[in-house]
Amino acid sequence: MIALICQFSFKNFMSYKDETVFDFQAASIPELANTLIVHDKATDLLSAGVVYGPNGGGKTNLLKAIACLVSTVVKPVVDLGKTRESTIFQWSVPCIPFLMDDNSKNDPTVFQIYFRTNGNEYRYDLAIRDDEVVSETLSWRAVGGKKTGLLFDRQGNEITLGASINKASVNKQVNPKLPYLSFLAINYDFPAISEVISWFESCIVQSYANPIVDNRVFVAQGEKEKRTLIRALNDLDIDIADYEFSDDGKRFYTIRKVNEKLYELPFEYESDGTRKVLASLPIMLMALRQGRFVVIDELDAKLHPKLLRYIIKLFHDPQINKNGAQLLFSSHDLTTMKNDVFRRDEIWFAYENDDHVSCIYSLYDIRDENDKHINNTAAYDKQYLEGRYGADPYLQNILGGEWDESEAD
């Protein structure tokens, strides 16, 4: 199944008060055109996106918004064993509104997502307040088509069904805390609902800020997949000849060859960096193989820049990424903020304004004093550190603005 995210927007979530849009639809710019996911009837899509910014700017909360929507929809289905796709370590995030004013904390949190799967494009809207669904709508159209069809619309306790699922047997009474999409996926087998829930289930949403993730290993047991992973590890100068689990499946071992003899090493004895690679790379390769959307907070944590660049290139390479996998991650690593690594529309910045409200914008959105876009030959990392892109550069943020030695005495 090829499942592609087109656009995600949300409002009133954690440090984000106003409507915020992250767009995977490619801008009409020339650089790295071969990295795009192309559809002859619709807008080309980005295969990767990265969010930079200072600590406390909102990078993690942006990814948490996606995690919140995915986990809210998927968790009830997983809990009842009704999934269509294998789910991978979902990052479960509660729905918390913006709390820094008197109105937002009482308003609903609103999510909207557009995605494509199996020749169709879906739009899903969900509004939640105090853990209860305020409204929910799912609509669809053929990719490239103009006619939109309704699958269902929920306003409070009132539910309207579209023609394709409007059957007498369909229950319109549902727990106010349960998304109707999840309810339909659990109890019925409508093709469109199955497509939509499969897309959500296929999303891989993780936080590498959590050290527990480093100790989880998800590796394929098939010989072809094993050879692919070992070759990728060797490409990164990690000299592993094989790997295996213990008979009870509770312990993972890497195997190295020294002087023609094989030696087993328990996973927990590996270096932090090697454990991180073994925790992340198999997930990335599976996503590429199956065409999944991957969201990772702090992907660069404990990773050598060489590995980070390697992973980005895997998603950018159409010969490897044949099924339209997409990667979104947050990062502090400026060694990849380069014009030969990312397109301008793939680089995003998160920052917090004077009202403690987080905002985002892409590098392509920025215009200079002559109202021109940043040139695609610019040294993005250097200009960012100089403060030319608006979001506070790291050193200024760390030192609390203009550094005055007299104030430190």
Side-chain angles (χ1 to χ4, degrees):
M1 180 183 75
I2 295 180
L4 301 164
I5 184 169
C6 305
Q7 188 184 86
F8 174 70
S9 63
F10 62 100
K11 180 180 180 181
N12 193 28
F13 178 80
M14 301 190 80
S15 60
Y16 289 86
K17 176 183 177 182
D18 305 315
E19 183 179 34
T20 301
V21 180
F22 192 98
D23 207 338
F24 267 89
Q25 298 173 102
S28 298
I29 53 179
E31 68 262 29
L32 301 176
N34 65 323
T35 66
L36 298 177
I37 302 169
V38 178
H39 196 293
D40 59 359
K41 295 182 179 179
T43 306
D44 296 341
L45 300 177
L46 304 174
S47 55
V50 59
V51 187
Y52 296 101
N55 290 329
K59 299 186 304 297
T60 293
N61 286 345
L62 167 64
L63 304 190
K64 279 185 174 181
I66 299 176
C68 180
L69 175 59
V70 172
S71 60
T72 297
V73 170
V74 171
K75 189 177 185 302
V77 186
V78 172
D79 288 347
L80 291 175
K82 297 290 187 177
T83 57
R84 276 81 165 171
E85 302 285 332
S86 60
T87 56
I88 309 299
F89 309 144
Q90 298 297 345
W91 184 19
S92 185
V93 175
C95 189
I96 300 172
F98 182 78
L99 299 175
M100 301 292 285
D101 71 18
D102 294 333
N103 295 320
S104 296
K105 62 185 178 182
N106 298 314
D107 291 337
T109 297
V110 179
F111 302 101
Q112 183 181 93
I113 192 164
Y114 290 85
F115 57 94
R116 299 176 193 163
T117 177
N118 298 335
N120 294 319
E121 182 175 286
Y122 293 93
R123 169 182 160 176
Y124 180 62
D125 297 79
L126 180 67
I128 299 174
R129 180 174 54 224
D130 297 328
D131 294 328
E132 294 191 355
V133 177
V134 175
S135 63
E136 184 182 7
T137 304
L138 179 62
S139 56
W140 74 281
R141 66 180 180 183
V143 174
K146 296 182 179 180
K147 185 178 179 181
T148 300
L150 176 70
L151 288 165
F152 67 80
D153 178 69
R154 175 184 187 177
Q155 302 296 325
N157 295 323
E158 298 295 321
I159 295 176
T160 302
L161 300 179
S164 62
I165 64 172
N166 192 4
K167 315 294 182 184
S169 59
V170 176
N171 191 349
K172 295 184 183 180
Q173 303 299 316
V174 62
N175 187 316
K177 295 182 180 294
L178 180 66
Y180 196 58
L181 172 58
S182 309
F183 173 80
L184 290 174
I186 291 167
N187 293 286
Y188 303 96
D189 190 24
F190 297 115
I193 299 299
S194 294
E195 277 193 12
V196 171
I197 204 68
S198 292
W199 185 86
F200 278 101
E201 291 169 357
S202 73
C203 295
I204 301 172
V205 188
Q206 294 182 287
S207 171
Y208 284 149
N210 183 351
I212 294 176
V213 175
D214 287 355
N215 296 317
R216 290 172 171 169
V217 182
F218 184 87
V219 293
Q221 294 298 301
E223 285 301 316
K224 181 179 179 182
E225 290 80 6
K226 178 182 282 193
R227 288 197 303 271
T228 299
L229 175 56
I230 291 173
R231 184 170 64 249
L233 292 168
N234 295 163
D235 287 345
L236 295 166
D237 298 325
I238 299 175
D239 186 22
I240 291 177
D242 203 349
Y243 57 79
E244 65 182 13
F245 285 93
S246 59
D247 291 340
D248 60 5
K250 294 182 179 180
R251 205 170 189 191
F252 181 73
Y253 296 88
T254 58
I255 301 173
R256 288 174 167 81
K257 181 182 285 189
V258 180
N259 296 326
E260 300 304 315
K261 186 175 180 179
L262 297 176
Y263 294 88
E264 291 184 348
L265 186 67
F267 177 70
E268 60 269 25
Y269 293 171
E270 292 283 1
S271 68
D272 285 352
T274 298
R275 289 203 307 271
K276 183 63 176 290
V277 172
L278 286 167
S280 60
L281 191 55
I283 295 291
M284 300 299 173
L285 294 176
M286 185 193 70
L288 290 161
R289 190 167 60 249
Q290 299 180 3
R292 295 189 180 217
F293 175 43
V294 186
V295 180
I296 306 282
D297 188 31
E298 296 193 18
L299 177 59
D300 58 321
K302 298 183 186 176
L303 285 187
H304 190 282
K306 178 180 177 181
L307 173 58
L308 185 58
R309 185 180 287 240
Y310 179 83
I311 288 173
I312 295 165
K313 285 188 174 182
L314 290 178
F315 280 82
H316 272 170
D317 189 339
Q319 298 304 312
I320 295 173
N321 189 5
K322 298 179 180 180
N323 293 314
Q326 293 167 289
L327 172 66
L328 174 61
F329 67 99
S330 65
S331 178
H332 287 286
D333 185 77
L334 296 189
T335 65
T336 55
M337 192 191 284
K338 305 286 188 181
N339 57 34
D340 64 339
V341 176
F342 286 116
R343 293 164 52 92
R344 286 167 290 172
D345 52 357
E346 291 179 318
I347 296 175
W348 291 69
F349 302 103
Y351 75 101
E352 190 175 273
N353 66 22
D354 293 339
D355 294 324
H356 301 285
V357 175
S358 290
C359 309
I360 63 170
Y361 54 91
S362 77
L363 178 57
Y364 182 69
D365 291 332
I366 301 172
R367 294 177 181 268
D368 62 18
E369 60 275 10
N370 298 315
D371 200 34
K372 293 184 178 180
H373 294 288
I374 300 298
N375 197 295
N376 66 344
T377 61
Y380 303 152
D381 55 342
K382 181 174 181 291
Q383 292 188 353
Y384 176 68
L385 284 174
E386 291 172 349
R388 295 175 62 179
Y389 296 164
D392 289 340
Y394 298 122
L395 295 179
Q396 180 178 327
N397 180 261
I398 291 170
L399 298 177
E402 294 298 325
W403 180 250
D404 186 346
E405 290 188 4
S406 64
E407 293 180 0
D409 295 334

